[in-house]
Amino acid sequence: MSNGFFVTANPPAAGQEPTVTNDGWFPDMDPAKVRNACRLDGTVTADRLLPALQNAMLTVNAELQDWADEQRCRWGYANLADVPAPQVGGESAKLLHYRRAVHAALQADLVQTFRGMPAMTTGNKLDRESDDLQQTAGDYLRQLRNAISDIRGSARCTVELL
């Protein structure tokens, strides 16, 4: 039972968490920007965030490895940003989808790993335990699948008649 009062901690100061370097083809990730995009406060400590972010990046990279190899070898693109894609806000849609995929993988991991702990914040004053407001790991995994499909340029679902 919740009394509606939650203590949150401030995230680390800007610059305290170094950028997580990627493999050179996929983009590096800035933990401060990840915290902001995923609405993570200081209850997700740097010691929790770093391995979860690394794992999320590795997961997404592995999902896209065959596609990335084709982009490199067949088409000669030096990195994900070079792959032709619409631009939104001056940035490649492929990069936006990649970050969305990493954020979703990260959040799914945190929800699964720290279930029942105050590991994540919803960013509002509403009761975080409310079933209709709290996203589940399944919701994040669906977002991950959608982002991967968007990067590959493939359909989000496959329907087959039997």
Side-chain angles (χ1 to χ4, degrees):
M1 183 156 140
S2 172
N3 64 4
F5 177 74
F6 293 92
V7 177
T8 60
N10 291 326
Q16 280 189 319
E17 295 176 294
T19 297
V20 179
T21 56
N22 214 325
D23 66 357
W25 201 82
F26 292 108
D28 299 341
M29 300 292 290
D30 178 349
K33 290 181 180 179
V34 170
R35 281 184 185 280
N36 187 45
C38 297
R39 299 188 308 191
L40 301 174
D41 65 13
T43 56
V44 178
T45 64
D47 289 340
R48 283 184 186 174
L49 181 61
L50 179 61
L53 179 55
Q54 291 169 327
N55 184 58
M57 291 167 69
L58 289 169
T59 297
V60 173
N61 293 2
E63 288 274 343
L64 292 169
Q65 195 61 56
D66 291 341
W67 178 85
D69 288 344
E70 179 182 2
Q71 301 306 309
R72 275 190 295 266
C73 298
R74 184 173 181 187
W75 304 109
Y77 299 118
N79 57 53
L80 182 61
D82 291 343
V83 177
Q87 300 287 306
V88 178
E91 190 168 29
S92 166
K94 299 289 186 194
L95 291 174
L96 296 172
H97 294 314
Y98 179 83
R99 281 198 292 276
R100 185 167 48 107
V102 170
H103 295 162
L106 169 76
Q107 290 173 297
D109 183 43
L110 291 174
V111 166
Q112 291 171 334
T113 304
F114 301 109
R115 185 167 298 186
M117 295 177 64
M120 299 183 66
T121 179
T122 61
N124 61 41
K125 295 180 182 180
L126 298 172
D127 187 351
R128 292 183 202 155
E129 295 176 349
S130 175
D131 290 336
D132 59 338
L133 293 176
Q134 186 176 16
Q135 287 193 301
T136 66
D139 294 324
Y140 291 122
L141 293 173
R142 178 183 36 78
Q143 291 173 9
L144 168 62
R145 299 267 46 92
N146 288 344
I148 296 284
S149 293
D150 291 345
I151 292 168
R152 289 182 176 150
S154 59
R156 289 187 174 187
C157 76
T158 303
V159 177
E160 184 177 322
L161 294 175
L162 299 176

